Amino acid sequence: MPWLELSLTVRAEQQPRVEEALDDLGALSITLQDADAETPDEQAIFEPGVGELPLWPTITLNALFDADTDRRGLSEALSELLPWLEPDQMLYRDVADEDWERAWMDQFKPMAFGRRLWIYPWNIEPPEDDNSVVVRLDPGLAFGSGTHPTTALCLEWLDGQELAGKTLIDYGCGSGILAIAALKLGAASTIGVDNDPQALTASADNAERNEVADRLALFLPDDLDAEPAEVFIANILAGPLGELAPTFAAAAKSGAPFAISGILKGQEDELLHRYAEWFEDLRVDTREDWVRISGRRR
């Protein structure tokens, strides 16, 4: 069936009230996006820091309603609930029915990382190849499909590690892609940590799809109570990476290889100085405008 989409562009501080009003008026779904997307002012938010729910300074809310919803009546109701809302902030369009999941999956193709690691969408069958390690992924709503440079940097690093029989912690696990890749590459067990319960659900689903769910434990940060791991990886953002350095040091065994990413070029020097207190053999690798720092726990 077709739908009616209403788009509203507002400031970040106005977003909660606008979302509440749209919900009160019967919106079937509400999504948020950067109002400056696909412009030079676009601001990427890929993986929130632990305990953070960041938003863009200007946000576009896209609300779906039944196709026969009265546009004029909806506009008048919004004007009553949000008196400051201007008519030019409201944009209507008809949305044809389609298979949204199929449209998204059609854009997601198999990707290779390192010598042998491949990420495949769940709807494409990989060829028989004894030398390949394949992760089947349905990212869903959580970040981490391998398409972003930070995820690619982490996957390539994992592919180069000796993981057989080892334990690994993936802090900021998102879709679970890194923890699952480590298991497929030979790790004995992994722990995924994320502040978003939806990410933990996506990670569990993807682990089931890859038949490794019995070796992946998932925790919110406050619930994590595990022995230090033999390998540690975190793909979040530079701010929380700096704040969490002592936590990460405590979570990694002496001599454990580690990698952190989610770092923009220009942010690495401060983190190198910060991590040198607990980690050694530090090195920097880049991909596009993003950085991975790796090394070993002292």
Side-chain angles (χ1 to χ4, degrees):
M1 59 179 289
W3 312 95
L4 174 65
E5 182 185 73
L6 168 60
S7 297
L8 296 171
T9 299
V10 300
R11 299 190 305 275
E13 62 269 21
Q14 297 171 324
Q15 174 267 325
R17 182 67 189 97
V18 174
E19 187 168 348
E20 180 182 359
L22 290 168
D23 186 59
D24 289 344
L25 293 173
L28 302 173
S29 71
I30 302 170
T31 58
L32 310 181
Q33 69 180 62
D34 185 359
D36 293 317
E38 300 182 5
T39 77
D41 295 322
E42 181 177 4
Q43 296 186 27
I45 296 177
F46 297 108
E47 186 71 81
V50 176
E52 295 180 351
L53 290 173
L55 288 175
W56 306 275
T58 308
I59 300 166
T60 297
L61 295 90
N62 298 310
L64 285 183
F65 294 86
D66 288 329
D68 58 359
T69 301
D70 177 18
R71 300 185 187 196
R72 181 175 179 179
L74 183 56
S75 296
E76 291 175 351
L78 275 172
S79 296
E80 290 181 7
L81 292 171
L82 309 169
W84 45 264
L85 196 65
E86 298 292 338
D88 61 1
Q89 291 177 266
M90 294 183 277
L91 177 65
Y92 290 97
R93 74 181 184 102
D94 295 314
V95 179
D97 189 25
E98 63 175 293
D99 186 342
W100 296 107
E101 181 179 21
R102 174 63 59 186
W104 178 86
M105 292 300 291
D106 286 346
Q107 303 300 314
F108 183 27
K109 306 299 181 185
M111 294 170 286
F113 301 93
R115 299 166 299 164
R116 55 186 176 136
L117 180 61
W118 283 82
I119 307 299
Y120 265 74
W122 62 264
N123 63 327
I124 297 180
E125 195 66 30
E128 293 291 335
D129 185 349
D130 293 337
N131 295 319
S132 295
V133 175
V134 175
V135 175
R136 309 296 296 274
L137 189 67
D138 178 10
L141 296 177
F143 167 72
S145 65
T147 59
H148 190 264
T150 62
T151 314
L153 283 165
C154 291
L155 289 168
E156 290 168 356
W157 183 82
L158 284 172
D159 183 72
Q161 301 302 306
E162 293 295 333
L163 298 176
K166 294 183 178 179
T167 59
L168 173 142
I169 290 178
D170 172 13
Y171 209 98
C173 59
S175 65
I177 184 172
L178 300 180
I180 294 167
L183 291 169
K184 300 297 284 282
L185 287 164
S189 62
T190 60
I191 292 172
V193 183
D194 206 288
N195 63 309
D196 183 357
Q198 188 176 40
L200 300 185
T201 298
S203 295
D205 289 345
N206 284 323
E208 289 283 356
R209 195 182 305 280
N210 285 276
E211 300 180 345
V212 296
D214 59 327
R215 293 187 287 140
L216 172 61
L218 297 165
F219 297 94
L220 294 167
D222 291 343
D223 297 333
L224 178 63
D225 182 17
E227 295 293 322
E230 295 166 297
V231 185
F232 185 92
I233 194 164
N235 183 25
I236 43 179
L237 290 173
L241 285 175
E243 295 169 6
L244 290 166
T247 299
F248 294 172
K253 282 187 175 181
S254 176
F258 91 105
I260 55 175
S261 194
I263 306 160
L264 282 166
K265 284 183 182 178
Q267 298 176 325
E268 65 269 27
D269 288 346
E270 183 176 346
L271 287 170
L272 286 167
H273 178 75
R274 174 79 163 143
Y275 275 75
E277 181 176 346
W278 300 280
F279 297 88
E280 60 187 0
D281 300 329
L282 298 176
R283 60 172 287 173
V284 170
D285 294 273
T286 62
R287 190 181 183 112
E288 298 177 20
D289 292 327
W290 296 90
V291 171
R292 179 189 71 216
I293 295 174
S294 58
R296 190 171 300 277
R297 179 70 167 95
R298 291 186 183 278

